Amino acid sequence: MSKITLKGNEINTSGELPAIGSIAKDFNLVAEDLSTKSLNDFKGEKLILNIFPSIDTGTCASSVRNFNKEASNLANTKVLCISRDLPFAQKRFCGAEGIENVIMLSDFKTGQFGKDYGLEILDGPLAGLNSRCVLIINEEGNIIYTEQVTETVEEPNYEKALASL
């Protein structure tokens, strides 16, 4: 279990992020078109997993905007933005914001992704949502970078994450 904060108040996550060098666990997440996407759908590509509680908060929206801007400059790299929001909310946000360079995926059905990756928030007002994290997976499916943002209302370290690529 990891301890993070929400506006200074301590909350807990369901586990620890995967270890650097470990093989990324497969997942089944729902895309905007309601299709199911798995890790295998992105085989051979570098992946930035931008994980956050809800697209309807300022910090989460900002992370999607920032990674959307950076994604257009990255070769053989996909940015997956993952939350428990309904795919309809994710699609609405992207349409309103002109977001076209990231892939929005939802963990709304079971929350299994958050459990498997040790980042589900267990208590506090955001219990059941995914905590703010960035994971980077290389072309071979190995985790090469992780960041668990310790204060939920803060943004991830974009420069450090992108430098790991």
Side-chain angles (χ1 to χ4, degrees):
M1 183 170 3
S2 290
K3 293 190 182 300
I4 58 174
T5 58
L6 175 62
K7 298 181 180 178
N9 297 306
E10 194 172 273
I11 55 178
N12 298 290
T13 63
S14 58
E16 303 291 328
L17 295 181
I20 302 293
S22 65
I23 295 176
K25 290 185 180 182
D26 197 12
F27 54 73
N28 287 300
L29 297 168
V30 181
E32 289 179 348
D33 65 1
L34 302 180
S35 65
T36 300
K37 298 292 182 187
S38 72
L39 188 59
N40 197 46
D41 290 318
F42 305 101
K43 191 173 185 171
E45 298 178 282
K46 294 180 232 175
L47 299 175
I48 299 172
L49 278 56
N50 175 37
I51 307 154
F52 49 88
S54 176
I55 195 64
D56 288 322
T57 67
T59 307
C60 300
S62 183
S63 73
V64 172
R65 287 185 203 105
N66 281 315
F67 277 120
N68 181 65
K69 184 172 72 174
E70 295 296 335
S72 63
N73 302 319
L74 302 172
N76 194 39
T77 304
K78 299 273 192 252
V79 177
L80 309 181
C81 293
I82 302 168
S83 70
R84 299 233 24 219
D85 293 298
L86 291 173
F88 312 112
Q90 293 173 335
K91 187 174 183 175
R92 174 186 38 83
F93 172 81
C94 289
E97 295 280 332
I99 304 288
E100 298 177 342
N101 299 319
V102 300
I103 298 166
M104 300 297 287
L105 297 172
S106 177
D107 188 24
F108 85 98
K109 284 188 175 181
T110 64
Q112 194 61 48
F113 173 83
K115 292 173 180 67
D116 287 347
Y117 278 75
L119 50 84
E120 178 185 27
I121 298 172
L122 296 178
D123 48 22
L126 300 181
L129 298 179
N130 293 331
S131 61
R132 186 175 320 287
C133 302
V134 175
L135 284 81
I136 299 186
I137 302 170
N138 68 13
E139 300 95 319
E140 290 81 38
N142 296 313
I143 306 281
I144 61 169
Y145 176 85
T146 64
E147 178 188 7
Q148 169 79 64
V149 178
T150 55
E151 171 52 61
T152 303
V153 298
E154 293 178 2
E155 293 186 49
N157 187 333
Y158 302 108
E159 288 178 20
K160 193 172 178 182
L162 293 169
S164 75
L165 290 167

